[in-house]
Amino acid sequence: LSAEQFAELEQDILDKGCREPLVVWNNLIVDGHHRFKICMKHGVLFDTVEYEFESRDDVIDYMIVNQLMRRNQTEKQVEYWRGKLYEQRKQRGFRGNQYTKSGSGQNDHNQKTAERIAREYGVTEQTIRRDADFAKAIDTIAKDAGEELKHQILSGELPVTKKDVVK
């Protein structure tokens, strides 16, 4: 969240309480990190709901898809999360789950993963692959220059093109 969005959420929770339960898995917060931080800071009570996932990978997949469903995402944030989803599902496929085409080579598998995500989000396979390159570049920038720069790029505060980020 931007500082402004966080402040709005904080004020809403102070005014109305924490209306949405935090989603947890094995005592880890899966959804609701900002709400948790605000509630703890101000002593606001909150509810939790325990979700069942088969693995940590399923949790990560859920978290990424959940981010993609949020309406307040910038175009760059959506591109970033689609790229992260592609990389996450592609990695999972190497271990032989539902994303793997049996008997296919690595290139076929990557194609199938990109196809599936492209269909889910109404874009082309090429877009998904470019999103993955963008997400990797953003993560490298964050690692080298800090999370703040990552947030500035993804929020649109820092007007750079996707192509420039990857370069």
Side-chain angles (χ1 to χ4, degrees):
L1 295 176
S2 69
E4 182 180 323
Q5 290 169 326
F6 187 87
E8 288 174 9
L9 177 62
E10 185 170 30
Q11 191 58 55
D12 186 62
I13 289 173
L14 291 173
D15 291 345
K16 301 172 187 162
C18 188
R19 295 174 288 162
E20 292 282 324
L22 309 182
V23 176
V24 297
W25 172 69
N26 292 341
N27 293 321
L28 298 172
I29 298 172
V30 174
D31 182 38
H33 295 88
H34 296 299
R35 285 176 278 141
F36 177 75
K37 183 176 181 179
I38 292 166
C39 289
M40 295 305 291
K41 176 181 175 183
H42 297 285
V44 175
L45 297 176
F46 57 89
D47 291 324
T48 62
V49 60
E50 179 84 23
Y51 277 26
E52 290 188 31
F53 296 97
E54 288 185 26
S55 69
R56 181 179 182 276
D57 285 331
D58 288 336
V59 171
I60 293 169
D61 200 77
Y62 170 86
M63 292 170 80
I64 293 170
V65 170
N66 196 38
Q67 288 301 317
L68 281 163
M69 291 181 356
R70 296 188 188 280
R71 292 184 304 255
N72 63 343
Q73 299 285 309
T74 66
E75 184 179 337
K76 282 189 173 73
Q77 288 169 329
V78 169
E79 293 166 346
Y80 174 79
W81 289 116
R82 282 191 315 232
K84 295 296 282 185
L85 184 63
Y86 173 70
E87 288 301 319
Q88 171 69 12
R89 288 184 178 173
K90 186 175 72 168
Q91 283 181 340
R92 292 177 74 178
F94 292 122
R95 293 203 320 253
N97 71 3
Q98 73 266 27
Y99 301 111
T100 302
K101 191 193 265 183
S102 61
S104 64
Q106 180 177 341
N107 290 337
D108 291 339
H109 163 69
N110 291 345
Q111 179 78 18
K112 181 167 176 129
T113 302
E115 279 178 27
R116 184 181 299 249
I117 295 170
R119 275 195 313 271
E120 282 179 53
Y121 293 98
V123 297
T124 67
E125 295 169 50
Q126 300 311 108
T127 298
I128 296 301
R129 287 192 196 85
R130 284 191 300 269
D131 289 346
D133 292 339
F134 176 69
K136 287 181 211 170
I138 287 289
D139 289 343
T140 299
I141 288 169
K143 182 178 161 221
D144 295 345
E147 286 289 320
E148 183 58 32
L149 185 57
K150 171 184 172 179
H151 292 295
Q152 288 174 342
I153 293 169
L154 293 179
S155 71
E157 249 180 88
L158 188 63
V160 294
T161 66
K162 186 175 176 180
K163 186 177 178 180
D164 287 339
V165 168
V166 172
K167 200 185 296 181

